[in-house]
């Protein structure tokens, strides 16, 4: 199965591991920063593709004690990522599971963290994907969504296109992405404004995208 505007799993994995590293590291360091203030628990990466994010987290000593679930609608993506998980001895800590971001295969309040990078723009009902992530995190839990901005500075969009071309990868479908204002409207539509912080850095590669951070209040 090949979802709209996605490359085959092996080509995506090559691009994700060879070219996306700087952007990966921004996302990983953000997760590490948030996790520092939490007890280790379970973290699901929604739209995980070949599991690059859970693998990076799984080999990170600061994430010891966490277990990870990579969820993707496309089983060929999950299959492509499995050999790396096995080779690194991470099979006990990373579970790869077919699932839909719009109907997550988790009970209410069952995860410590839910994250998703570059998945939001693929989803037909983006507000539903946010409410799903919020539904599955426990009280005191966090959901973190990163995606690219359609209204990112043109110089950065050009730089990203050049990085992709160097890796023999086609340009990003910028028209599918949302703007920062649309991210605010989305959170509002999902009814999650009281729990959300939306942020986009003004400099560096991170300015290509935005983050939506959702915090479920702890039980008192
Ligand atoms: C651009 S890739 C991003 C992969 C990974 N998160 C990363 O940052 O490298 C988007 C992924 O979302 C997955 N996807 C698309 N629609 C989905 C859905 N409804 N539920 C779960 N995954 C989905 C695709 O199969 C693909 O693997």
């Amino acid at each position: 199965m090949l979802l709209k505007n996605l490359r085959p799993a092996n080509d995506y994995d090559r691009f994700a591991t060879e070219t996306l590293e700087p952007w990966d590291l921004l996302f990983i360091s953000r997760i590490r920063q948030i996790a520092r203030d939490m007890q280790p628990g379970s973290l699901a990466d929604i739209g995980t593709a070949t599991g690059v994010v859970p693998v990076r987290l799984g080999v990170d000593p600061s994430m010891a004690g966490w277990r990870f679930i990579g969820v993707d609608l496309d089983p060929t993506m999950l299959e492509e990522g499995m050999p790396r998980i096995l080779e690194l001895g991470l099979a006990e800590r990373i579970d790869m599971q077919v699932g839909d971001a719009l109907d997550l295969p988790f009970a209410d309040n069952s995860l410590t963290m839910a994250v998703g990078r570059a998945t939001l723009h693929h989803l037909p009902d983006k507000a539903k994907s946010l409410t799903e992530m919020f539904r599955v995190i426990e009280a005191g839990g966090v959901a973190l969504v990163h995606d690219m901005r359609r209204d990112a500075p043109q110089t950065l969009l050009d730089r990203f296109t050049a990085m992709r071309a160097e890796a023999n990868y086609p340009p990003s479908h910028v028209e599918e992405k949302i703007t920062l204002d649309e991210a605010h409207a989305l959170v509002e539509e999902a009814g999650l404004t009281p729990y959300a912080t939306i942020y986009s850095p003004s400099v560096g590669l991170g300015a290509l995208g935005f983050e939506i951070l959702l915090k479920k209040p702890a039980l008192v």
Side-chain angles (χ1 to χ4, degrees):
M1 175 175 39
L2 189 56
L3 296 171
K4 182 175 160 276
N5 288 344
L6 271 161
R7 306 287 299 165
N10 56 355
D11 200 27
Y12 182 78
D13 190 60
R14 177 188 63 77
F15 174 66
T17 50
E18 290 174 9
T19 308
L20 284 183
E21 189 173 20
W23 212 10
D24 271 1
L25 297 182
L26 287 174
F27 190 50
I28 299 297
S29 61
R30 188 69 181 107
I31 294 171
R32 287 170 52 168
Q33 186 187 36
I34 294 166
R36 218 169 35 208
D37 300 327
M38 303 174 86
Q39 290 298 318
S42 50
L43 181 154
D45 179 36
I46 314 303
T48 196
T50 59
V52 172
V53 166
V55 165
R56 285 197 190 279
L57 294 170
V59 296
D60 188 326
S62 75
M63 296 299 288
W66 285 82
R67 60 176 292 276
F68 308 98
I69 310 119
V71 176
D72 204 284
L73 197 57
D74 182 350
T76 67
M77 286 285 189
L78 302 173
E79 281 156 22
E80 182 73 24
M82 271 319 290
R84 181 169 40 231
I85 290 172
L86 295 169
E87 267 163 39
L88 291 169
L90 290 169
E92 297 282 302
R93 289 181 62 212
I94 301 179
D95 186 24
M96 297 285 265
Q97 203 174 320
V98 175
D100 188 348
L102 303 183
D103 184 16
L104 288 175
F106 305 112
D108 296 356
N109 311 309
S110 59
L111 300 175
T112 316
M113 228 196 264
V115 304
R117 199 269 306 262
T119 300
L120 187 75
H121 65 269
H122 288 290
L123 304 175
D125 188 344
K126 296 174 180 48
K128 177 78 192 301
S129 76
L130 296 183
T131 54
E132 272 298 275
M133 288 172 92
F134 194 72
R135 173 183 72 75
V136 299
I137 56 172
E138 63 198 11
V142 167
L144 180 69
V145 172
H146 273 208
D147 209 348
M148 198 170 146
R149 285 175 63 167
R150 193 173 76 243
D151 57 343
Q154 191 57 47
T155 47
L156 271 184
L157 292 171
D158 292 345
R159 190 169 137 204
F160 191 50
T161 302
M163 279 167 69
R164 292 171 72 106
E166 234 169 81
N168 208 13
Y169 211 68
S172 181
H173 292 271
V174 179
E175 73 286 354
E176 291 178 337
K177 313 297 191 291
I178 64 171
T179 66
L180 196 58
D181 283 348
E182 287 165 353
H184 281 275
L186 189 61
V187 166
E188 184 77 38
E189 181 191 341
L192 293 170
T193 303
Y195 312 107
T197 315
I198 301 172
Y199 169 68
S200 176
S202 50
V203 290
L205 195 57
L208 258 182
F210 61 86
E211 120 172 359
I212 300 174
L213 179 70
L214 301 172
K215 289 187 178 174
K216 200 179 246 190
L219 292 176
V220 283

